[in-house]
Amino acid sequence: MNFAKKLAAVALLASSLIFTGCGQAQIGSVDIDKVMAEAPRVKTLMTDAEGKIKEAQEKFQQDYGDKDLTEEEAAKAQMEFQRKIESINQGYATQIRSRMDVVIAEVSQEKNIDVVISNSASDKMIFHGAVDVTDDVIKKMQ
């Protein structure tokens, strides 16, 4: 995470502490990388996305594989194919993120947590004092 995102997260955390009263706010953390790697629903969606991408690759190969295209036609076909792949990836990423947001909100409400911060292993923001809800999120991402 870049410096600006960390600064924004710290500002959000500080403002939540001010509004809830110092020392009374419950802070949660979630390892998004772990959720992405282990949650069953994420794995299912990733498999679906890979299938759609494979279908798109096969269709592209079928439509353009044996054709003798000009350089301009080949570039246009390649750009169209890239847009299709990006659209598939973006659609599934949106689904995953939306579901994860709902689950994180549910877990934070169940555990009376005021703020949940992404705290992936590669980008630690909180080292002590936060309630780790990662495993709870993974369980709910069925």
Side-chain angles (χ1 to χ4, degrees):
M1 190 182 318
N2 64 27
F3 181 74
K5 286 184 179 179
K6 282 187 178 183
L7 186 60
V10 170
L12 173 66
L13 178 62
S15 65
S16 70
L17 290 175
I18 290 169
F19 290 121
T20 59
C22 289
Q24 297 176 0
Q26 280 283 83
I27 301 168
S29 67
V30 64
D31 184 342
I32 299 296
D33 295 338
K34 185 175 179 183
V35 173
M36 292 294 289
E38 296 179 17
R41 182 70 178 143
V42 173
K43 289 179 182 180
T44 300
L45 287 171
M46 296 292 267
T47 301
D48 291 349
E50 289 167 4
K52 294 283 185 185
I53 289 170
K54 187 175 180 180
E55 286 176 20
Q57 289 171 333
E58 289 170 358
K59 182 164 179 15
F60 178 79
Q61 194 68 347
Q62 186 180 35
D63 290 349
Y64 298 105
D66 296 335
K67 290 187 177 179
D68 190 24
L69 302 174
T70 66
E71 197 171 304
E72 184 178 314
E73 291 171 329
K76 183 178 176 184
Q78 185 66 29
M79 284 179 53
E80 188 177 306
F81 174 70
Q82 288 297 328
R83 272 188 246 132
K84 175 84 173 168
I85 298 300
E86 287 174 19
S87 174
I88 292 168
N89 283 330
Q90 186 174 16
Y92 280 95
T94 299
Q95 285 183 49
I96 291 168
R97 188 65 206 187
S98 294
R99 179 66 185 141
M100 197 177 306
D101 288 346
V102 168
V103 169
I104 290 170
E106 289 173 2
V107 169
S108 66
Q109 187 173 18
E110 290 169 6
K111 295 191 172 274
N112 293 321
I113 295 173
D114 300 305
V115 178
V116 178
I117 296 175
S118 175
N119 204 34
S120 297
S122 62
D123 196 24
K124 282 282 189 205
M125 290 183 64
I126 299 176
F127 293 97
H128 178 70
V131 177
D132 187 354
V133 296
T134 303
D135 292 333
D136 298 310
V137 171
I138 290 170
K139 287 176 191 168
K140 282 191 163 250
M141 295 271 304
Q142 300 293 331

